[in-house]
Amino acid sequence: MTSYSGFNLVATKCCGAVYSTPRYSSINMSASEYWTDGARVHSLMPTDGGLRRCKCGTLYLMKSTFNVGFEEERTAPNPQFVNDSELEGLLKTDLSPEVETVVRRRYWRFLNEPYRDLYRAHREIEDLKFQRRNGFFNKILKKIGLLRGEPANGEKFTVPDFVPSQDFCNNLECLLALIGASESHDHLEITEILRELSRFEEAEKALVMLADDVSTTANLLRQLVGERASAPYRYRM
């Protein structure tokens, strides 16, 4: 369970404006859906990269602020969030590399939203077909030879065709360059970007850096790269 006790007062570097943010006493990172592009649906913690807009108009990241105090009850204003609908326009402005990285990462996930809807609808239909083919009475009919069908362990997991737009690809290429120029490299994210760009040979090389990573995400990416699958996938943690 995510809970907080009081509020930290933080100031921005741009103009020194002070904002109030929850001081978390416990954090629950669970979500209802996990996706290979890093999207978390109905997450109990923000997954927006800490992107905020200051009252002076400057975009900043929460990690770039500095603590200036604490309050039991909120009196200072809450930091202003940036909506997904603003991301495309922001990319036409002058952004710092750190802010641009977060904007492009969020724009990537935003552009994948229509595909998520297709994916959910497709899987709902396929899962329903599977249940009908493998229901209790159908299993009996199959056993006595009155109904034909694939065995449960022979079901192939399918997803809709993934056809990225040029805007999508350009954004990922720019994000990849920004990540490559940064001091810290997230090889899981790099692998996923290369995979969604269908640059599978490069994705395989990126996976070498994850040789010791046995997480659910890393194992799934190994499987998908091996299958030459480029679509974002939903999975369980």
Side-chain angles (χ1 to χ4, degrees):
M1 178 177 179
T2 298
S3 61
Y4 61 90
S5 177
F7 299 86
N8 289 318
L9 296 173
V10 299
T12 60
K13 293 181 179 179
C14 48
C15 68
V18 176
Y19 296 97
S20 180
T21 64
R23 175 180 285 185
Y24 293 103
S25 52
S26 64
I27 297 177
N28 187 332
M29 302 298 292
S30 62
S32 62
E33 290 183 358
Y34 298 86
W35 291 80
T36 52
D37 64 357
R40 302 287 184 266
V41 179
H42 299 144
S43 173
L44 295 179
M45 286 295 293
T47 57
D48 60 3
L51 179 66
R52 303 290 184 270
R53 179 180 282 105
C54 185
K55 65 180 184 181
C56 69
T58 303
L59 292 174
Y60 68 97
L61 303 181
M62 287 302 299
K63 66 179 182 181
S64 70
T65 61
F66 52 94
N67 290 323
V68 294
F70 173 79
E71 58 183 4
E72 292 288 347
E73 300 293 335
R74 171 171 277 161
T75 59
N78 194 48
Q80 181 182 346
F81 287 76
V82 177
N83 296 324
D84 286 342
S85 58
E86 302 177 66
L87 298 174
E88 183 178 6
L90 293 178
L91 291 173
K92 300 174 183 177
T93 64
D94 186 21
L95 304 173
S96 69
E98 293 79 13
V99 169
E100 183 180 354
T101 299
V102 173
V103 172
R104 289 195 179 279
R105 181 177 291 126
R106 282 185 52 183
Y107 190 48
W108 167 26
R109 297 168 184 169
F110 175 70
L111 290 177
N112 270 337
E113 284 304 309
Y115 181 79
R116 286 186 233 285
D117 291 335
L118 292 175
Y119 185 109
R120 294 183 187 104
H122 176 84
R123 288 311 316 162
E124 184 175 347
I125 293 173
E126 292 302 305
D127 290 345
L128 183 59
K129 288 179 181 178
F130 176 83
Q131 291 171 12
R132 287 175 176 172
R133 286 195 300 270
N134 295 277
F136 177 74
F137 292 108
N138 283 351
K139 287 182 178 179
I140 295 176
L141 293 174
K142 287 178 185 179
K143 189 172 182 179
I144 63 178
L146 296 181
L147 182 67
R148 296 182 180 275
E150 294 295 327
N153 59 5
E155 296 287 341
K156 179 177 174 58
F157 188 90
T158 61
V159 299
D161 291 339
F162 180 62
V163 185
S165 66
Q166 190 59 53
D167 184 31
F168 177 90
C169 295
N170 290 341
N171 183 63
L172 278 194
E173 294 285 1
C174 291
L175 177 57
L176 191 62
L178 286 165
I179 295 172
S182 65
E183 295 182 357
S184 59
H185 298 164
D186 183 342
H187 294 287
L188 278 174
E189 183 174 59
I190 291 172
T191 300
E192 178 63 11
I193 291 173
L194 292 169
R195 188 182 71 81
E196 290 193 27
L197 289 171
S198 295
R199 292 162 57 175
F200 298 112
E201 290 76 13
E202 293 172 79
E204 287 175 338
K205 293 178 181 178
L207 281 171
V208 173
M209 303 301 296
L210 299 170
D212 297 328
D213 190 338
V214 294
S215 66
T216 300
T217 308
N219 287 334
L220 176 57
L221 290 185
R222 291 186 186 98
Q223 176 185 337
L224 295 176
V225 170
E227 294 174 354
R228 296 304 193 253
S230 62
Y233 269 66
R234 183 179 61 184
Y235 64 101
R236 294 186 178 91
M237 290 292 281

